Amino acid sequence: MGLREKVAEALISDTDDFFIYWDYQTGWKCSGGGCDSLEKEPIRQKGMLGLLDIVQDDDREICSLFLDRMQQGSKDANVFQPLPGKRFEVNLHLRNVDNTYTYYRIECHILKEEETGIMHRGVVEIMPLTQEEIYRLRLAENITNDKNPQYFAGGAAEIMASQPEKRFALIQFDVAKFKVINEQYGEDVGDEILRFFIHTLKIILRPDQLYARLTADVFMVLTSYTQEEEVYELIGKIDQNLSGYKGIPYTLFFGVCEVKDRSQKLRKYGDGAAFARQSIKGDALNHIAFYRDDMKQQAKTQKIVEDQMEHALENHEFVMFLQPKYSISRNRIVGAEALVRWIHPERGTIPPNDFVPLFEKNGFVIKMDQYIWEEACKTIRGWMDAGVEPIPISVNVSRRHLKDGRFVQVLDDLVEKYSIERRYLEIEITETVDQGQTQAGIDLLKEHGYTLLMDDFGSGYSSLNTLKDTQFDVIKIDRYFLQDFVRSERGQKIVEHTIRMTRAIGLELVAEGVENQEQALFLSRCGCDTAQGYYYAKPMPVEQFNERLKE
Ligand code: C2E
Ligand code: CA
Ligand code: CA
């Protein structure tokens, strides 16, 4: 029997469930029978709003949430649309005529939507939950219940068995830095947010999309899908509906793992989702990670690197290479950039891109950088002692340093220890979005008389606008900026204009990644005379660099 027929029947005869049917022209009608013990009078009088009169206090919040969403839902495409089967539901403790409370399921079916997207006709079915359902719900809601994973696995097995043709994925998510929210807003607010999550999940997920709260702020959702986009869509829906509770800023991190082999323990895939989620930490732009088979391997490698890094530093396995900067017009070395290499006893030379990002996450970059800075100072001292006219070496200062001013003291100490002039130790910093956080460090460097180079200009967030009132002295044009632009005439105009603008406001320029003569000549014509790139030389060990310097 279709829903319409069911409704029609319910309106004239007795059924087990209680129905509310409405359309916007005639208002609502309630069926004569069903749910005999339920106190139905308020609903008969006020329609769905009557629910608020008979809902148990603890469920009031979720009830209003449900009603709100039901009303706005049809307007707000992402909340209730696309709604498979156009059905949404909520479980509430409602008052009976004898003043006791029973746990009911309230299920709303949309019968018709006009083009405007406004819900015009609907039917709501109210039915008492079975003992089994109540048991499961309790488990799903109960935060500290250690049976949750067990229940989850059991429920998941059933759901998966019922849809043999579908693919399944586990989505695990948590709130980034939830601790901070607890500290800032109080644990009550933290709990409130988590309760809001549970309530909202209950409303936005399909009945066959199982969810559970695993620990404090970690949730798991099982979903079937055919195309991967559906998983992204679901995550988008969860993200949108769960974000911004009472205007509190927080971010959700999602890890996804496909259930590739149903004969395996579900736990394995749960671990995969957890693994993927944890891999996001520290990456501000990306909030979703899919588990990949090589992830575990990568983590192993990471672990090896982390186990070895301290020893490697003591063992002088980190080595400073120098890449010359050339004056294009004079064709001679005018400076150098210090670039680290890890000369590993077994694995050979490891390029910085394989370990610097990891060190930036785990903080080791602080020690490593300081080591390289000292190597740079030593080298400058060495030149002076050998009677060679020194040239400036620029060192990379990871953004990790900039959070407090201590690193400036480290630089000062080094400059003093090797008694070199500050102008010989130049500082490279990459510009990014959260400039506010690093401004203090930059100011301090400037105060202490260092020359500042803005690294990777044109690659990301930096733009002409950032140059307007910058503290930097030199702009390093990113190699991709150069390569991408020099190809087309329009691009050339942009590079040319950028160079002229930069010079006009009194800044110096270095072009990175210059790989051929054509590029060098073009840059020189535009007014950028300093170039660093493979066309002139690759980064090299200090001894080799010294040979070149002599020439
Ligand atoms: P970066 O600071 O932008 O350094 C320039 C990178 O471009 C270097 O890669 C250099 O070898 C490469 N390069 C130079 N000329 C050319 C060219 O003509 N063509 C091409 N394709 N590449 C060119 P490298 O040495 O592998 O360093 C990569 C990144 O690692 C650096 O980018 C920097 O972000 C980081 N890094 C390197 N050494 C250190 C360090 O001591 N401390 C910190 N914090 N980061 C470092
Ligand atoms: Ca650099
Ligand atoms: Ca660069």
Side-chain angles (χ1 to χ4, degrees):
M1 194 179 354
L3 198 62
R4 276 161 206 250
E5 290 77 30
K6 236 166 128 184
V7 171
E9 185 186 293
L11 290 174
I12 43 172
S13 64
D14 283 352
T15 51
D16 287 347
D17 300 336
F18 178 56
F19 284 86
I20 310 164
Y21 169 84
W22 82 95
D23 82 43
Y24 80 113
Q25 278 174 325
T26 57
W28 63 86
K29 282 186 205 123
C30 295
S31 65
C35 293
D36 288 336
S37 43
L38 181 70
E39 186 179 332
K40 285 177 272 194
E41 212 33 51
I43 298 177
R44 290 219 167 88
Q45 280 171 21
K46 303 183 192 169
M48 288 295 282
L49 290 178
L51 282 176
L52 284 169
D53 292 348
I54 55 168
V55 69
Q56 202 173 34
D57 272 354
D58 285 352
D59 286 351
R60 178 171 298 274
E61 195 183 327
I62 177 175
C63 182
S64 5
L65 200 68
F66 178 72
L67 293 174
D68 277 1
R69 288 192 182 234
M70 225 176 91
Q71 280 162 11
Q72 69 159 345
S74 32
K75 282 177 257 148
D76 182 351
N78 269 313
V79 181
F80 286 124
Q81 291 173 349
L83 250 182
K86 300 200 180 202
R87 186 186 99 133
F88 44 102
E89 61 174 53
V90 66
N91 303 310
L92 298 171
H93 292 87
L94 299 178
R95 192 163 64 225
N96 295 319
V97 273
D98 64 359
N99 246 337
T100 58
Y101 285 87
T102 300
Y103 213 178
Y104 289 95
R105 164 160 300 145
I106 292 88
E107 228 177 76
C108 175
H109 305 257
I110 301 167
L111 293 182
K112 186 179 164 205
E113 282 166 64
E114 300 287 297
E115 269 177 19
T116 55
I118 294 169
M119 187 163 56
H120 284 209
R121 285 205 282 168
V123 59
V124 175
E125 188 175 2
I126 302 182
M127 65 206 102
L129 289 167
T130 64
Q131 280 311 310
E132 167 75 9
E133 285 169 322
I134 293 173
Y135 172 70
R136 290 193 159 195
L137 278 169
R138 293 249 155 84
L139 283 173
E141 284 159 26
N142 194 341
I143 300 115
T144 50
N145 196 318
D146 55 12
K147 288 211 185 83
N148 267 5
Q150 238 170 295
Y151 145 72
F152 191 85
E158 266 174 43
I159 291 171
M160 282 166 34
S162 70
Q163 303 183 49
E165 75 295 349
K166 288 273 193 168
R167 291 164 77 185
F168 277 89
L170 287 173
I171 303 170
Q172 190 180 102
F173 66 91
D174 77 335
V175 182
K177 303 198 182 116
F178 190 64
K179 253 208 228 133
V180 177
I181 292 177
N182 274 331
E183 281 162 17
Q184 259 183 8
Y185 295 88
E187 280 182 18
D188 285 351
V189 175
D191 287 349
E192 216 178 286
I193 292 176
L194 298 177
R195 235 178 297 131
F196 163 74
F197 282 8
I198 293 171
H199 291 165
T200 309
L201 285 174
K202 216 185 271 182
I203 296 171
I204 63 173
L205 295 179
R206 294 194 311 255
D208 70 330
Q209 288 171 326
L210 199 62
Y211 68 95
R213 181 171 170 187
L214 300 182
T215 57
D217 64 325
V218 182
F219 291 80
M220 188 79 96
V221 176
L222 172 83
T223 185
S224 63
Y225 67 104
T226 319
Q227 307 263 315
E228 218 158 77
E229 291 90 75
E230 296 166 42
V231 179
Y232 278 107
E233 260 170 43
L234 175 62
I235 289 177
K237 184 167 155 187
I238 296 175
D239 197 24
Q240 200 198 351
N241 283 287
L242 263 45
S243 291
Y245 178 70
K246 290 194 175 163
I248 300 171
Y250 50 82
T251 310
L252 303 180
F253 282 167
F254 295 87
V256 187
C257 186
E258 183 182 356
V259 180
K260 286 223 169 104
D261 177 357
R262 290 171 180 227
S263 66
Q264 300 268 341
K265 281 227 166 72
L266 192 70
R267 194 161 161 190
K268 175 177 158 183
Y269 300 104
D271 288 350
F275 206 85
R277 174 179 65 77
Q278 282 153 3
S279 75
I280 303 170
K281 298 264 144 104
D283 183 344
L285 292 174
N286 197 2
H287 300 160
I288 307 173
F290 273 71
Y291 180 79
R292 295 183 322 267
D293 288 334
D294 62 355
M295 260 186 173
K296 285 249 156 85
Q297 189 51 45
Q298 251 183 21
K300 247 188 229 157
T301 318
Q302 258 191 22
K303 175 116 193 351
I304 294 174
V305 168
E306 293 199 306
D307 286 346
Q308 295 184 351
M309 60 193 187
E310 294 275 358
H311 174 256
L313 188 65
E314 283 161 24
N315 207 25
H316 302 287
E317 287 171 26
F318 294 108
V319 175
M320 178 187 72
F321 273 37
L322 290 177
Q323 185 178 30
K325 295 173 191 167
Y326 269 77
S327 156
I328 299 172
S329 60
R330 289 180 290 153
N331 195 33
R332 54 175 291 192
I333 300 178
V334 291
E337 176 175 3
L339 293 158
V340 67
R341 297 289 180 269
W342 185 347
I343 316 283
H344 193 280
E346 283 136 40
R347 294 165 60 199
T349 304
I350 309 174
N353 286 336
D354 288 2
F355 57 88
V356 170
L358 174 63
F359 290 177
E360 282 181 333
K361 274 193 199 179
N362 68 22
F364 189 69
V365 75
I366 303 253
K367 277 196 196 172
M368 187 204 75
D369 271 356
Q370 289 176 0
Y371 179 81
I372 298 296
W373 302 344
E374 177 144 18
E375 291 297 296
C377 293
K378 262 189 215 165
T379 305
I380 295 166
R381 177 78 254 161
W383 290 333
M384 290 165 74
D385 289 346
V388 179
E389 166 76 23
I391 49 162
I393 297 181
S394 59
V395 294
N396 288 286
V397 171
S398 158
R399 303 180 57 76
R400 276 297 285 247
H401 295 278
L402 296 169
K403 286 189 187 133
D404 60 68
R406 264 178 297 180
F407 74 102
V408 182
Q409 189 60 48
V410 176
L411 289 166
D412 284 349
D413 291 348
L414 285 171
V415 165
E416 196 172 319
K417 179 171 168 193
Y418 293 94
S419 60
I420 55 176
E421 283 178 52
R422 265 165 215 219
R423 65 189 165 105
Y424 292 128
L425 187 67
E426 297 180 338
I427 310 295
E428 295 199 7
I429 296 172
T430 308
E431 274 294 86
T432 46
V433 254
D434 55 339
Q435 212 184 328
Q437 275 196 5
T438 56
Q439 196 52 52
I442 290 174
D443 288 349
L444 201 60
L445 278 171
K446 218 49 234 158
E447 248 172 61
H448 286 230
Y450 292 96
T451 303
L452 298 190
L453 285 69
M454 186 188 289
D455 208 351
D456 303 336
F457 179 82
S459 67
Y461 305 101
S462 50
S463 66
L464 284 178
N465 211 22
T466 56
L467 298 183
K468 218 169 52 218
D469 25 45
T470 185
Q471 302 261 59
F472 286 86
D473 306 285
V474 182
I475 303 307
K476 291 194 83 178
I477 302 179
D478 189 63
R479 99 178 118 102
Y480 293 107
F481 186 71
L482 193 67
Q483 283 165 3
D484 286 354
F485 279 102
V486 171
R487 279 191 211 114
S488 70
E489 208 172 302
R490 209 177 109 96
Q492 288 191 5
K493 283 243 159 59
I494 295 177
V495 175
E496 189 179 337
H497 188 67
T498 306
I499 292 173
R500 291 204 195 291
M501 277 270 298
T502 311
R503 304 242 17 204
I505 53 179
L507 299 170
E508 294 289 321
L509 288 138
V510 179
E512 278 189 316
V514 176
E515 292 187 346
N516 53 53
Q517 192 184 27
E518 188 198 344
Q519 287 173 341
L521 293 177
F522 168 72
L523 287 162
S524 177
R525 266 204 314 276
C526 296
C528 167
D529 190 50
T530 314
Q532 176 185 345
Y534 293 174
Y535 172 60
Y536 291 100
K538 289 193 172 182
M540 60 186 88
V542 176
E543 307 78 59
Q544 212 173 315
F545 185 87
N546 286 340
E547 292 300 312
R548 257 205 197 230
L549 202 54
K550 274 193 216 140
E551 283 167 13

